[in-house]
Amino acid sequence: MRYALRVDANQAAVISALEAAGATVQVVGKPLDLLVGIRNQFILIEVKDGAKVKSAQKPTNAQTKFFERFPGYPWAVVDGPEAALRAIGCIK
């Protein structure tokens, strides 16, 4: 039996901000949330709910192992739209 993936409450706002900045966004789901393309590059993004305690915002073991399998590839853990825009270089 398959269960629906949990989506962070702020994921839609993050996607909207990225798309408004000109990025193409693909929801991946597992082991991370988003594949984002901008300026002919990809970045892997994991969205965490910024309203939760910091310990709940850390990447899971599966996510950490995934990122370790792709050293040198850009990735980010973001807690909201501003952090996502920072991750793709649209704001400082």
Side-chain angles (χ1 to χ4, degrees):
M1 177 180 269
R2 290 189 67 172
Y3 296 92
L5 297 174
R6 282 182 283 158
V7 176
D8 290 292
N10 58 342
Q11 183 169 308
V14 167
I15 292 170
S16 292
L18 290 168
E19 291 177 338
T24 302
V25 181
Q26 177 65 47
V27 176
V28 177
K30 286 286 181 180
L32 57 115
D33 294 319
L34 308 174
L35 174 63
V36 179
I38 189 157
R39 295 182 294 280
N40 297 316
Q41 294 182 311
F42 287 117
I43 181 170
L44 305 167
I45 293 184
E46 172 60 24
V47 179
K48 297 295 184 182
D49 189 342
K52 292 185 178 179
V53 296
K54 288 293 179 189
S55 62
Q57 295 181 40
K58 293 185 353 186
T60 65
N61 287 338
Q63 290 164 347
T64 300
K65 287 178 184 178
F66 179 83
F67 293 135
E68 288 171 352
R69 288 183 56 211
F70 296 93
Y73 289 88
W75 61 274
V77 177
V78 303
D79 62 0
E82 185 176 320
L85 293 174
R86 193 173 297 112
I88 65 169
C90 286
I91 61 174
K92 291 184 180 187

